[in-house]
Amino acid sequence: MNGSTETSIRVVIADDQAMVRAGLKLVVESEAGMEVVGEAADGLEAVSVARRTRPDIVLMDISMPRMDGLTAARQLLGQPAPPKVVMLTTFDTDENLYAALRAGTSGFLLKVSPPEQLVEAIRVVVGGDALLDPAVTTRVIASFAGRHDPAPPPQLAELTPRELEVLRFLARGMTNAEIAGELFVGEATVKTHVARVLMKLHLRDRAQAVVFAYESGVVRPGASVG
């Protein structure tokens, strides 16, 4: 993890409303093993703060002055060893979620989410072993990414048959534990397969793998994925 210790998840909070930032900070810092290392009130400041503090994860408001959250996320995610980014929003629309995933973020969280859901989201995204809100994420990606008939990208040829199978399981939103159960192997083996899939396809995390799987035609909306 970027700049983290074994016991602490480093978090940056970016939101133009001071009260929202204060509430999120209170939730994060009340949780053992998490610390807020920076705050920002707009997208430009978010990029600057994240580059300076090197957090594990940035909670980024989708709508901010000077630079919106999606633009800021793209800038952060385009740099070497970027943090994970989760978008915060007031309105849970499919368009917003798909735009966030296409920007390279790890998912999407409503500002009104209960504290325990926020904490769990941070742990899931930083841990990398599961997808944030898998049912909604896979549904939205299938809806938007499956609208055209794609040509398979050349990097697909680099995957072994087992890795391609793992990619299809990822596209279903399955956790490493669930994939291990399907393949009758250990979770450590699945973690290795997932890491190799992401490396070969030049993807940051499993949310991007789901987007890739649908946009490349590896899986198609309405079809059996497994």
Side-chain angles (χ1 to χ4, degrees):
M1 286 183 269
N2 304 312
S4 68
T5 69
E6 289 184 357
T7 57
S8 182
I9 296 174
R10 296 166 60 84
V11 182
V12 162
I13 298 169
D15 194 291
D16 59 331
Q17 298 180 52
M19 287 186 65
V20 171
R21 292 198 308 274
L24 292 170
K25 183 175 182 179
L26 188 65
V27 171
V28 171
E29 297 209 319
S30 67
E31 187 70 15
M34 293 185 187
E35 62 175 324
V36 175
V37 296
E39 297 181 47
D42 60 62
L44 279 174
E45 189 179 9
V47 172
S48 174
V49 169
R51 285 174 175 165
R52 186 178 70 251
T53 59
R54 300 194 59 74
D56 297 301
I57 185 169
V58 179
L59 304 177
M60 182 93 72
D61 183 15
I62 202 168
S63 179
M64 291 186 289
R66 293 213 297 166
M67 179 188 289
D68 66 84
L70 289 178
T71 302
R74 289 188 191 98
Q75 287 201 12
L76 279 178
L77 293 167
Q79 67 186 26
K84 303 286 189 181
V85 178
V86 170
M87 303 307 297
L88 302 171
T89 185
T90 307
F91 304 106
D92 186 11
T93 69
D94 287 358
E95 289 81 3
N96 277 351
L97 175 52
Y98 189 61
L101 292 166
R102 290 287 289 125
T105 72
S106 297
F108 191 93
L109 203 60
L110 283 172
K111 291 185 182 182
V112 295
S113 299
E116 59 273 18
Q117 189 175 336
L118 172 66
V119 168
E120 177 64 14
I122 292 171
R123 294 200 185 280
V124 164
V125 169
V126 173
D129 293 337
L131 197 63
L132 184 58
D133 204 348
V136 173
T137 299
T138 53
R139 174 184 61 77
V140 169
I141 292 172
S143 173
F144 282 83
R147 291 179 176 177
H148 60 288
D149 190 19
Q155 58 264 47
L156 266 181
E158 297 182 26
L159 299 185
T160 66
R162 176 48 61 93
E163 288 164 355
L164 190 58
E165 191 176 16
V166 168
L167 177 59
R168 290 193 176 104
F169 284 132
L170 290 176
R172 289 168 61 177
M174 294 172 70
T175 67
N176 285 1
E178 290 167 341
I179 296 172
E182 289 282 341
L183 298 179
F184 302 102
V185 298
E187 283 189 56
T189 300
V190 173
K191 197 175 185 77
T192 299
H193 284 317
V194 170
R196 289 184 63 81
V197 167
L198 298 180
M199 178 188 70
K200 288 182 177 182
L201 300 180
H202 310 292
L203 302 171
R204 275 181 289 272
D205 64 17
R206 55 205 305 134
Q208 304 315 302
V210 180
V211 174
F212 178 93
Y214 278 98
E215 291 193 341
S216 64
V218 170
V219 293
R220 296 177 186 278
S224 175
V225 185

